[in-house]
Amino acid sequence: MDTIFNSKQEFIEEYREAVRELSGKKFEITSDIDRFNALAGLIASKARSVSARTDDRFKKEGKKRVYYFSIEFLIGRLLDNYLINFGIRDMVDEALREMGCNLDDLCRMEPDAALGNGGLGRLAACFLDSMAHEDIAGYGNGMRYRYGLFKQEIVDGRQVEVADEWLSRGYPWEVRRPDKAVRIGFGGHVVGHTEGDRIFYSVEGTEDVLAVPYDIPVVGFGGKTVNKLRVWSAEPIDEHFDLEAFNRGEYAMADASRADAEAISAILYPNDAGEHGRLLRLKQEYLFVAAGIRTALDVFRREHGAKWELLPDYVAIHTNDTHPAMCGPELMRILMDEEKLTWEEAWDIVTKTISYTNHTILPEALEKWPIATFSKLLPRIYDIIDEINRRWRDSFDTSQEGWQERLRKTSVLWDGEVRMANLSVICSHSVNGVAKIHTDILKRSVLNDFYALTPEKFNNKTNGITPRRFLAEANPSYSKLITEAIGPKWMDDADELKKLVEFEKDPSFLVRVGDSKRQNKVRLARYVRRETGLVIDPDSIFDVQVKRFHAYKRQLMNIMKVMDLYNRLLDDSSFSIQPTTFIFSGKAASSYTFAKEVIRLINSVADVVNNDSRVNDLMKVCFIPNFRVSNAQLIYPAAEISEQISTAGKEASGTSNMKLMMNGAITLGTMDGANIEIAQLAGEENEKIFGLTTPEVEELRASGNYFAWDVVNADRDRLGRVMSELTDNTFAGLSGNFDSIHNEVMSNNDYDLVLKDFRSYVDAWEELTSSYADTRDWNRRALHNTAMSGWFSSDRTIREYRDEIWHA
Ligand code: 26V
């Protein structure tokens, strides 16, 4: 382990100096925010010098560089994580104590960088951590949004969105690099220039903005490798400050051009809000693609000269979902229009350099742009796409039966739209899904026609999570226990966790596993009380569903289970349950009415249940507001049941399932996404699986024989009653009834099969929780889940990307 301070004394001296420099005050009278900013600033400057050394080393080694293009990086807080990765957390903790302050308090001063929506963005952040750990020359390329994902407040049970002003107190990790800014052109018209027997194209009359990069260091565990995340901010090219307008008192007008440019990087779009077709979003996509490609090519040219045919040997460009799909056309544009390569030469390079990950099969989530909008904003990129599409069409063997249908499905331009997934596939040498079942579905249905043409392109890379953040950092008590048992190597190599299997036979160790879980539950209960005022019992089961709100994730089915248990407790004196706290957390996209109503329902049920003394010894419902990376790190370690209950075939992978498994929660889930691999690894006897499988769902739909009303009528006493309670004032006290939920479910014939899976879900929950009384066996199963979770380390995932896709 390389170290950035030679001794505690050296750290203390440098830190005192850093605080004085930044605040101008003596350490003793500074505030926590001053102290945090100085500490993070000091660690950032150390990280930057290791980063420079890393870069020199990579240059010397002639390493292939991997650029991970993602419109989201949900990195959360960095301080604690970087202290762990540099191997100095305990030393700094001790030093700060000697200086009369507390590291945890300082860590809490850091804003959560919420530059992502959920799973996709957090995956990109875990991948950065793992690339640095695996000593890959891997660079994140993304957007620096002025406002991250909205903050969620709960008012009368309803979600209210508040702007996330995460930069308001400065951000010590970033360095602005105006010297690396890139000019980005929008609009204009394409002009051809004849040179000899070729025509070259340029775009004239564009409206330009400046993409300005900010670099954030990415510290790999062990402290040897520090990579970079580069995020782009949009600014005006020149000031154009209208002094006359200002003097007339028209202040906004005076600075209008600045506002127009800055709007491009102002906000992160919610990925599931139906925000499709928004011009600003398309500008974001092109801006970070064009600027990032420029960076990659500049570095390549500096190291290898303009030998573009070598680009695929030294550069990999990975596109995280379709938001960076313009990487292909943009690289074509530069290689042809600026570097004068022929189409064929450029295309060969492009398709050997670019790879693509698909993250969803939901048809409504596939990105499409109206051709009219697209071609006006990006005329040259559009022309190139048109030519890609023309050549694609020409490549079809029209003597083959069914070629028309295949062309219809694989075409990039169709029905007046640009289809970004098809563009991504055609420009890439590799296409992967994010869990085994997801990749199988891509091959079988969504991308089946591409698969038939080029099966060798397709491969699976099951997602992973970083054990440094989600076990070592989030769960110190459990980590300490694990390290005592098997040594500290698991942080480097999560496969080591398997050694915990030995301890499943050790009753005193299992007691300590339980003790650690209880500590984490107490910690979460304190947080909940502070944030919401609700008192929850750390001796009850913590049953946890935390993730974005979406119909297919079926938080509705979970709260209907709670309603059913409540009804039965009130009705039937012989019925009882294990005392349970039902914990929910997550955001709904601001325009997603159904998901927001489910949040209101959960809070309304909580309002009734939590104030009913007849059941309060047995149940509480807890909605934790404003789910984000930092409070997720308190929630996962406290969980005992991991609710992973999506309709089979809908959740591409899921990653909270892995985080919860690693922290010793038992999965209650459907055979969907990575749940399947979790159940295989941990053994079905250590999980609780229920519900229809993907083929059963497909069959049911295909049969045309499913009628939601029949299911309700066949179970009037329980399911029927729960459905009635959505509209009969039982839970209307806080802010009214839930007719829209009732209507949505019934009028779409139970599209997400909430009613169909309801009984098998509640039964599975009862079976699982009835085994809680056997504390020792529960703790054994919990430990077994942790022991088998090492395969879900993102280090494993990244090594697969490196060996099978990037060849880096
Ligand atoms: C987007 C949209 C847009 C339109 C409305 C419906 C909708 C629903 C979902 C999405 C999200 C698409 C991309 C995404 O975030 N996928 C998630 O990626 C995670 C990392 O691979 C994976 O674990 C999740 O299962 C997957 O949903």
Side-chain angles (χ1 to χ4, degrees):
M1 173 99 64
D2 297 5
T3 182
I4 51 171
F5 299 102
N6 291 313
S7 67
K8 185 167 69 181
Q9 211 43 49
E10 183 182 292
F11 166 75
I12 291 176
E13 277 159 29
E14 288 194 35
Y15 180 44
R16 268 189 193 285
E17 185 53 33
V19 173
R20 192 165 32 236
E21 241 175 55
L22 197 77
S23 69
K25 291 180 260 183
K26 273 189 75 173
F27 185 83
E28 285 65 30
I29 59 164
T30 52
S31 64
D32 276 352
I33 185 73
D34 286 337
R35 292 174 183 190
F36 160 73
N37 276 321
L39 182 54
L42 176 62
I43 303 300
S45 86
K46 298 282 177 189
R48 279 193 295 274
S49 41
V50 183
S51 174
R53 283 207 298 278
T54 305
D55 208 49
D56 287 344
R57 184 164 57 79
F58 286 159
K59 221 173 281 169
K60 238 181 259 142
E61 292 169 2
K63 264 215 180 177
K64 184 166 183 176
R65 310 214 180 233
V66 177
Y67 294 91
Y68 195 84
F69 278 63
S70 178
I71 205 160
E72 302 188 3
F73 286 93
L74 187 45
I75 56 180
R77 291 175 178 156
L78 299 178
L79 179 56
D80 207 18
N81 192 245
Y82 285 179
L83 295 178
I84 289 172
N85 285 357
F86 270 130
I88 57 172
R89 195 195 181 278
D90 291 344
M91 181 276 282
V92 169
D93 188 27
E94 211 179 285
L96 291 181
R97 238 186 284 249
E98 286 173 22
M99 298 170 85
C101 69
N102 176 285
L103 177 58
D104 290 336
D105 291 344
L106 297 200
C107 288
R108 273 195 290 273
M109 292 292 113
E110 179 167 357
D112 265 59
L115 308 182
N117 273 281
L120 176 145
R122 183 55 234 178
L123 184 75
C126 284
F127 281 4
L128 293 179
D129 180 85
S130 285
M131 286 195 286
H133 175 253
E134 297 296 322
D135 198 32
I136 294 168
Y139 307 94
N141 185 72
M143 281 296 284
R144 181 181 181 273
Y145 305 104
R146 175 149 160 231
Y147 302 103
L149 187 64
F150 65 85
K151 285 198 287 189
Q152 177 194 57
E153 287 174 7
I154 302 295
V155 178
D156 295 332
R158 287 193 177 87
Q159 167 177 296
V160 174
E161 301 90 24
V162 179
D164 169 43
E165 296 177 2
W166 69 291
L167 290 166
S168 62
R169 295 203 279 190
Y171 191 59
W173 300 108
E174 66 180 9
V175 171
R176 179 182 159 89
R177 298 296 307 269
D179 54 316
K180 304 276 182 193
V182 180
R183 199 181 178 108
I184 307 291
F186 294 111
H189 53 276
V190 178
V191 178
H193 318 263
T194 311
E195 279 180 38
D197 58 351
R198 278 186 65 189
I199 307 175
F200 294 98
Y201 295 93
S202 64
V203 189
E204 278 161 28
T206 53
E207 277 185 37
D208 295 357
V209 301
L210 204 59
V212 182
Y214 287 71
D215 288 348
I216 299 169
V218 177
V219 177
F221 180 74
K224 175 177 151 213
T225 309
V226 176
N227 286 331
K228 266 182 248 167
L229 164 60
R230 175 161 283 184
V231 286
W232 298 92
S233 179
E235 295 185 11
I237 290 280
D238 8 66
E239 283 299 330
H240 278 317
F241 188 79
D242 185 345
L243 203 55
E244 270 177 41
F246 188 86
N247 288 336
R248 285 197 304 272
E250 294 164 9
Y251 307 124
M253 183 71 107
D255 225 0
S257 70
R258 167 162 292 273
D260 283 350
E262 286 178 350
I264 296 173
S265 54
I267 64 150
L268 162 75
Y269 279 102
N271 65 9
D272 49 2
E275 291 280 356
H276 292 317
R278 298 287 292 264
L279 195 64
L280 217 48
R281 171 70 169 199
L282 192 58
K283 287 186 180 178
Q284 291 184 342
E285 292 185 358
Y286 184 65
L287 183 123
F288 96 103
V289 161
I293 293 279
R294 176 66 67 191
T295 296
L297 295 185
D298 283 350
V299 173
F300 174 82
R301 196 202 303 263
R302 220 171 32 238
E303 292 183 0
H304 306 282
K307 295 188 201 119
W308 300 113
E309 69 282 3
L310 297 182
L311 192 76
D313 296 334
Y314 291 104
V315 175
I317 290 175
H318 197 85
T319 56
N320 192 31
D321 215 315
T322 59
H323 321 121
M326 280 181 273
C327 279
E330 174 64 8
L331 194 48
M332 287 298 286
R333 185 185 73 79
I334 295 191
L335 292 178
M336 294 189 305
D337 296 357
E338 295 180 12
E339 301 302 326
K340 318 279 177 188
L341 270 60
T342 64
W343 180 281
E344 288 74 16
E345 290 165 339
W347 185 246
D348 186 56
I349 293 167
V350 165
T351 49
K352 282 179 176 156
T353 304
I354 296 176
S355 46
Y356 158 62
T357 300
N358 173 287
H359 291 269
T360 182
I361 56 151
L362 299 183
E364 69 271 30
L366 291 181
E367 224 191 339
K368 294 178 189 127
W369 292 98
I371 287 179
T373 311
F374 196 112
S375 57
K376 201 161 159 229
L377 185 72
L378 300 162
R380 179 63 183 137
I381 296 297
Y382 176 74
D383 283 354
I384 291 171
I385 292 175
D386 190 48
E387 180 63 11
I388 291 172
N389 196 52
R390 194 187 63 75
R391 287 175 186 245
W392 177 255
R393 226 187 306 130
D394 282 355
S395 74
F396 271 70
D397 178 353
T398 53
S399 68
Q400 291 251 319
E401 212 192 313
W403 70 271
Q404 292 99 332
E405 180 63 3
R406 181 149 286 165
L407 177 61
R408 181 180 73 76
K409 289 195 183 139
T410 58
S411 191
V412 182
L413 302 176
W414 201 264
D415 272 352
E417 292 181 314
V418 186
R419 306 199 295 201
M420 304 301 260
N422 290 357
L423 178 63
S424 296
V425 175
I426 292 172
C427 292
S428 298
H429 62 86
S430 166
V431 176
N432 74 280
V434 291
K436 190 172 176 307
I437 187 183
H438 170 58
T439 301
D440 289 342
I441 293 173
L442 289 180
K443 291 181 188 173
R444 224 184 39 234
S445 54
V446 187
L447 299 178
N448 174 261
D449 291 277
F450 283 115
Y451 180 61
L453 293 165
T454 51
E456 69 282 357
K457 265 194 195 181
F458 285 75
N459 62 92
N460 174 245
K461 296 286 167 282
T462 299
N463 283 166
I465 57 163
T466 167
R468 270 78 60 180
R469 179 177 294 267
F470 289 106
L471 186 53
E473 181 188 334
N475 200 338
S477 66
Y478 200 28
S479 299
K480 188 160 167 273
L481 188 58
I482 292 169
T483 299
E484 267 178 48
I486 63 170
K489 261 184 68 186
W490 59 271
M491 282 200 267
D492 239 330
D493 173 8
D495 268 341
E496 289 276 311
L497 291 170
K498 266 199 203 117
K499 292 185 176 161
L500 291 169
V501 167
E502 276 300 297
F503 294 82
E504 287 176 41
K505 288 171 288 194
D506 179 342
S508 71
F509 192 81
L510 294 177
V511 169
R512 296 174 70 199
V513 169
D515 288 347
S516 150
K517 182 62 78 181
R518 192 167 189 293
Q519 266 186 51
N520 293 327
K521 290 163 77 179
V522 170
R523 183 176 67 159
L524 181 63
R526 250 190 259 124
Y527 174 80
V528 166
R529 183 160 193 184
R530 211 167 47 234
E531 294 293 314
T532 70
L534 181 70
V535 177
I536 57 177
D537 176 9
D539 289 317
S540 63
I541 300 177
F542 279 17
D543 173 327
V544 171
Q545 186 175 21
V546 289
K547 50 181 80 252
R548 281 300 283 260
F549 273 77
H550 204 290
Y552 80 81
K553 295 178 191 280
R554 299 199 292 193
Q555 285 94 348
L556 175 61
M557 189 168 76
N558 189 347
I559 196 65
M560 284 169 62
K561 170 194 74 187
V562 176
M563 291 158 70
D564 177 50
L565 295 170
Y566 176 64
N567 291 338
R568 287 154 73 199
L569 285 174
L570 292 186
D571 278 5
D572 177 358
S573 58
S574 69
F575 177 72
S576 193
I577 60 171
Q578 275 292 326
T580 303
T581 304
F582 300 92
I583 296 171
F584 295 83
S585 195
K587 295 174 183 175
S590 46
S591 62
Y592 193 169
T593 314
F594 177 78
K596 290 172 96 170
E597 279 295 275
V598 174
I599 290 177
R600 189 171 70 84
L601 175 62
I602 292 168
N603 284 301
S604 299
V605 173
D607 183 52
V608 172
V609 168
N610 298 348
N611 293 305
D612 190 336
S613 56
R614 294 170 297 176
V615 297
N616 278 168
D617 292 344
L618 295 177
M619 62 194 302
K620 285 259 174 85
V621 180
C622 169
F623 186 94
I624 302 177
N626 202 25
F627 187 54
R628 58 197 187 281
V629 177
S630 62
N631 64 9
Q633 291 177 204
L634 295 174
I635 298 171
Y636 300 130
E640 291 169 299
I641 296 178
S642 163
E643 298 267 0
Q644 306 298 339
I645 59 176
S646 52
T647 319
K650 290 292 177 75
E651 189 70 272
S653 160
T655 44
S656 77
N657 45 4
M658 304 168 187
K659 293 162 194 165
L660 286 156
M661 176 198 196
M662 197 172 271
N663 281 282
I666 296 177
T667 303
L668 169 56
T670 48
M671 278 297 202
D672 198 18
N675 300 352
I676 298 174
E677 286 147 277
I678 287 178
Q680 273 162 2
L681 271 163
E684 283 207 29
E685 67 284 6
N686 298 305
E687 315 291 352
K688 190 77 205 171
I689 302 299
F690 71 93
L692 295 191
T693 60
T694 302
E696 287 167 349
V697 169
E698 285 167 5
E699 247 165 67
L700 187 71
R701 291 270 168 240
S703 76
N705 224 340
Y706 179 64
F707 301 107
W709 274 112
D710 290 350
V711 182
V712 178
N713 291 334
D715 186 8
R716 278 221 181 79
D717 292 350
R718 288 176 48 190
L719 181 56
R721 175 152 177 216
V722 167
M723 290 304 286
S724 306
E725 285 172 345
L726 292 173
T727 58
D728 73 1
N729 293 331
T730 309
F731 298 103
L734 204 55
S735 48
N737 272 316
F738 299 91
D739 302 75
S740 72
I741 294 181
H742 189 279
N743 294 344
E744 182 87 9
V745 172
M746 298 319 302
S747 66
N748 291 316
N749 197 29
D750 187 20
Y751 181 77
D752 296 291
L753 303 178
V754 165
L755 307 175
K756 178 73 186 169
D757 275 341
F758 176 76
R759 268 309 265 274
S760 74
Y761 172 50
V762 183
D763 291 347
W765 183 88
E766 286 184 60
E767 271 172 50
L768 177 60
T769 50
S770 69
S771 70
Y772 189 73
D774 184 350
T775 308
R776 187 170 132 187
D777 193 60
W778 185 279
N779 290 337
R780 183 197 61 71
R781 280 184 282 164
L783 183 64
H784 189 73
N785 269 279
T786 304
M788 302 313 288
S789 70
W791 190 77
F792 293 107
S793 165
S794 45
D795 297 347
R796 185 269 312 154
T797 313
I798 277 300
R799 287 193 297 266
E800 292 180 3
Y801 276 90
R802 178 194 63 195
D803 297 342
E804 295 163 23
I805 299 178
W806 303 330
H807 305 289

